[in-house]
Amino acid sequence: MSNIIVSYKPARKTRAGFFLLPLSLKIVDNRGIMKKIATLGLMVSSTDSEYEKEIIEGISSYCTKYNQKLIIFSGRSLSWPYGWEYQKTAIYEHIHKGTIDALIVASGTLCNYIEEDLFKEWIKKFEPLPIVSIAIPLKGIPSIVVDNQTGLRTLLVHLFTTHGCKRFGVLTGPEDNSEAQKRMEVFNSFLKEHSLDEKDQTIFKGAFTPESCHESLKPWLDTHTPNFKALVCMNDSMASAALQILKAKGYRVPEDIIVTGFDDIVRSRFENPTLTTVTQDLIVQGTLAASMAHSLIKGEKVKPLTPLLTRPLYRQSCGCIGKEELSQRHVAYQENNEYIDFDAHAFFELSTRLFRNQDDLIHLREYLSNMIAIVSVGDLLDRLPRSLRLLGIETCALVLFEKEIPFERDGQFKLPSVANLVLRFDKYDSKEGTGKAISFDPRSSLLPSNIFSSRPYNLVTTSLFHREVQLGYLVWEPGNCDPSISETISVQLSSTIRAALLFEAKQEAEARLHLALKDLEHYNTTLHSISRTDELTSLYNRRGFITLGQESMDLAMLMEKQGLVVFADMDGLKAINDTWGHEAGDRAIIAMSIALKKTFRRMDIVARMGGDEFAIVALDIPKEFVKTLRERLDTILEEYNQKSGEPFKLSLSLGAIEFSGRQNQKLEELLSLADSVLYEEKKQKRARRGL
C-alpha cells in the first residue's frame, strides 16, 4: 500500500528558487517497485504552455521515480475556436484500456470553450478507465482542486489596504470555466465586504490565453484612459500579455497601474517587472495526480476530493519589491513576513536553458531546410529520422491513415479500422522501421506491439491534419528541446505530409488528366466569353452551372470519383412575395444563397437555376453525407431565422442523386432525377402539414 503525506511548510527557496513551495510531498511505497509497469495517460490542451509544463513535470517525475510509463495526449481544448487546431482533439480517441491503464485529465484548460456540464458528460466516454481530474471537480472521479479563495482574497485585501486600490480592472477567465467563476465570486465578495461599488470596476472578458487579453484589453486602451489603480488578471498568461500591452501604451507598472496574476508559472518570476501572483504549486498537483492514478490502478481507494491551498507572492508589479529589496537579493515577499531570495543556481539553470533554446532554433531552421526539399512520402521517411534527431528526438513513430478522413469542426471523429505505421526509430534499438509499412487497427492500440524497446518511457502523441482532414498522428519521446519546438514540428510535419501526398497523387493522375486539362482550357475560354453568373446572388446561373458542372463531372469520371447532384427549392417564396413584396423575396433568395455557400465547400459548384430553384454539384462526397449536409443547412437557416429580424422564415427542400466516375452520366439527366427526389420530399412536407 502507498501512503501519501502532504504538509505545509514555509520555504525561502525551491527547486527553481523564485517561488514559494507551499506543500511538501512524500510518497512512501511500502512494497517497493511494482512488478507490473503501469501506463498512465495525461490529457492536456498542449505541452508548451507554462501551466501544463509544470503539471507534466510533476507527473513525469513520479513516473520516472516509480518506473511507470506515461503517454501525453496533446490535443487542445474541446470546441477550440481558433483556426484548424480543433483537429487536434482527434487524438483523444486513442484513450482507452488498450492504450493506457489510467487517465489524468488537466480539466482546467480542456473545458475553456465548452460548458462544464457538457465536459463532464463527455469525459464519461473514457470509463471504465480509472480517471483523476486536476482543477475541475468531476462527480465520481477523484479530483485535485485548488482553493481559489484564500490566496486571491488575501491578494485583493493587500491591494486595498497596502496600496489603497479601490477601483480595479479585472481580466476574467472563460465564462463556463468553474475555476474562473470561483475567482470572480471571490472578487465580487471582496467588493461587498469593503463596500466598493461594482460600477466603479472595469471588467475585461478573457479566456486564460494571451490572445484573449489582446482581444479585450488592447482595443479598450485605444479609446479609454484607465481609471483603475490595479489590473487583476485571473491567470499569469493574461497578466504577462497585459504587461506588454500597458508598456506599449506608455503606462508604467506599478507606478501607473498595478498588475497581478494567478498560477505563479515560471515566466511570472522573470517578467519585467516580476509579476505579483497567487501560487498554486502545479508540480505538486501533477505529482499527486500521478500517485492517485497509480493507486487506482492497484485497486486502492483514494480521496474523492483533494483541496490544495493557495497564497499570494508579492513582487515588483505591485511595488512590494523595489530596489532596496533587490539589493538584498530578495525577489518575492509573502504574508508571513518572509522574503524569497534569489537562487543563483536556478538562474544559471535558466540561462543554460535559454542558450539551449537558441541552439534548438538553429537546429529547427536546419530541420525546416531539409523539409523544404521533400517531394514524396518516401523522401520524407528517408530524411525525417536524421532531421528529428537534430532536435534531440531520438524515439519516434509516424502513423498515417490509409486515406484522408474528414473531421468537421462540429463533427465527431472516429478512428478508422486500418492505419499504417510508416516509420519508427528508437534510441535503445538500432533497428529502424523504414521498410514496409505495418498495418494495424488504431482503435485497439496506439501503436503495434513491441514497436519500442521494453522500458518505462514518456511519450507525447498528437494528431497530424491539414485543414478539415485527418492524416494520421505522431508519437515521440521528448528530448532536450523545448516542448514548443516539438509542437511546432508536428504542425509543420502535417503540411509536409499533405504536400507529399498531393505530389504523389499528381504524378499518378498526370497521364489521365492530360486530356482533361486540354478540354478544361477549351471550356474555360468558352466560359469566359459568356455570362454565367446570377445577378442577384452572384452564384452561377443555369448556363454556367450546366457547363461547369458537367465539366467537373467529366473530370470526376476520368479520375473514377463519385459525387452528388443536388436540386433544391425554397419553401414558400411565393407567399413571401405575396405577403411582404418582391423586395422581401429578393432578400430571402440572397439569404438562401449565402446559407448554401456556407453549407457546401468552396470547391463545390452552387447555382441559382432561376426563381426559387438552386442546384449543386459536389465532387468526392458520398450519398451517406446528405444527412449531414441537411443538418448543417438546417442549423444555418435556424440561426438566420432567429437573428435576421425578417418577418419570414427560410426553409428549403432538396433532392440528391449520387453519380459515379465509373459510368458516363449527363448532368441534366441527374438534375431531373434529383428533382423527382425533391418532389417526394415536398410531398411528404405537405402531408405532415395536413395539406
Side-chain angles (χ1 to χ4, degrees), residues 44-45 51-52 77-78 106-113 135 177 208:
V44 292
S45 178
Y51 174 87
E52 283 155 321
S77 306
L78 301 182
S107 52
T109 56
L110 288 168
C111 61
N112 279 350
Y113 306 103
N177 182 285
F208 285 166

Side-chain angles (χ1 to χ4, degrees), residues 115-145:
E115 292 181 11
E116 195 169 307
D117 289 342
L118 293 178
F119 177 77
K120 291 178 179 178
E121 184 65 28
W122 179 80
I123 210 73
K124 291 180 181 178
K125 68 184 289 185
F126 302 112
E127 296 175 349
L129 269 176
I131 302 174
V132 175
S133 172
I134 297 177
I136 304 295
L138 302 178
K139 185 177 181 181
I141 294 175
S143 303
I144 299 169
V145 297

Side-chain angles (χ1 to χ4, degrees), residues 17 25 36 41 81 84 96 135 203 269-270 325 340 397 418 425 441 518 521 546 601 606 612 631 663 667 679 682:
L25 174 68
K36 179 183 180 297
W84 300 96
H96 50 71
I203 308 299
R269 306 155 210 169
F270 297 95
E325 288 81 8
I340 299 175
V418 179
F425 55 91
D441 187 348
K518 276 189 154 184
E521 184 178 358
I546 294 298
R601 304 165 300 180
V606 183
D612 56 359
E631 292 173 350
Q663 54 184 340
L667 176 55
Y679 175 80
K682 286 271 192 181

Side-chain angles (χ1 to χ4, degrees), residues 203-466:
I203 308 299
F204 300 99
K205 186 177 181 181
F208 285 166
T209 63
E211 293 85 0
S212 64
C213 180
H214 282 275
E215 290 171 359
S216 58
L217 177 61
K218 190 174 183 296
W220 187 88
L221 289 173
D222 289 338
T223 56
H224 296 76
T225 299
N227 63 349
F228 47 82
K229 175 60 179 173
L231 177 62
V232 177
C233 304
M234 293 307 177
N235 82 342
D236 287 348
S237 294
M238 295 189 298
S240 293
L243 288 175
Q244 298 172 15
I245 293 169
L246 290 169
K247 186 181 295 185
K249 291 290 182 181
Y251 294 101
R252 298 170 301 162
V253 177
E255 292 84 356
D256 299 326
I257 299 175
I258 290 171
V259 177
T260 67
F262 196 111
D263 285 339
D264 191 31
I265 61 177
V266 172
R267 179 170 181 168
S268 67
R269 306 155 210 169
F270 297 95
E271 285 288 358
N272 184 19
T274 55
L275 185 64
T276 293
T277 186
V278 177
T279 180
Q280 54 154 335
D281 197 339
L282 299 170
I283 294 177
V284 168
Q285 292 184 46
T287 308
L288 272 172
S291 175
M292 292 166 67
H294 193 189
S295 295
L296 291 173
I297 292 173
K298 294 182 289 185
E300 299 172 359
K301 291 185 178 181
V302 300
K303 292 181 180 180
L305 196 67
T306 302
L308 300 179
L309 293 178
T310 59
R311 66 180 69 187
L313 293 177
Y314 307 117
R315 298 193 178 106
Q316 290 174 295
S317 70
C318 73
C320 283
I321 294 293
K323 293 181 179 180
E324 180 179 347
E325 288 81 8
L326 288 175
S327 67
Q328 300 176 30
R329 301 171 64 85
H330 300 324
V331 295
Y333 169 78
Q334 50 189 327
E335 288 296 320
N336 56 6
N337 294 321
E338 290 195 10
Y339 286 97
I340 299 175
D341 290 345
F342 175 81
D343 187 331
H345 178 71
F347 178 79
F348 288 129
E349 279 188 351
L350 185 69
S351 300
T352 302
R353 177 180 170 186
L354 172 63
F355 290 117
R356 188 167 60 235
N357 286 347
Q358 291 178 350
D359 292 339
D360 287 340
L361 289 174
I362 294 172
H363 292 147
L364 178 61
R365 182 177 63 196
E366 186 173 348
Y367 165 86
L368 294 174
S369 297
N370 288 335
M371 293 298 103
I372 289 174
I374 299 298
V375 295
S376 67
V377 174
D379 197 10
L380 171 67
L381 300 183
D382 288 339
R383 293 171 179 258
L384 190 59
R386 179 183 176 277
S387 298
L388 291 179
R389 283 176 174 138
L390 286 172
L391 295 159
I393 298 176
E394 298 185 4
T395 300
C396 181
L398 173 60
V399 177
L400 298 180
F401 300 135
E402 285 202 320
K403 61 180 181 179
E404 298 174 352
I405 303 175
F407 179 22
E408 300 291 340
R409 181 177 292 277
D410 298 323
Q412 183 176 358
F413 177 74
K414 292 185 178 180
L415 285 168
S417 59
V418 179
N420 296 312
L421 176 72
V422 297
L423 173 69
R424 74 97 183 162
F425 55 91
D426 184 347
K427 65 179 178 180
Y428 294 104
D429 187 349
S430 60
K431 298 177 182 178
E432 282 193 7
T434 55
K436 186 178 179 181
I438 300 175
S439 296
F440 69 103
D441 187 348
R443 300 172 304 179
S444 301
S445 60
L446 182 67
L447 295 170
S449 59
N450 302 321
I451 289 303
F452 296 138
S453 55
S454 180
R455 57 187 167 87
Y457 49 62
N458 290 354
L459 297 177
V460 178
T461 182
T462 189
S463 294
L464 300 174
F465 60 91
H466 185 268

Side-chain angles (χ1 to χ4, degrees), residues 1-5 25-32 62 65-66 291 298 300:
M1 179 177 179
S2 297
N3 299 315
I4 304 174
I5 304 172
L25 174 68
K26 295 181 180 179
I27 303 171
V28 182
D29 193 333
N30 296 326
R31 294 182 295 181
Y62 179 92
K65 182 175 181 179
Y66 291 98
S291 175
K298 294 182 289 185
E300 299 172 359

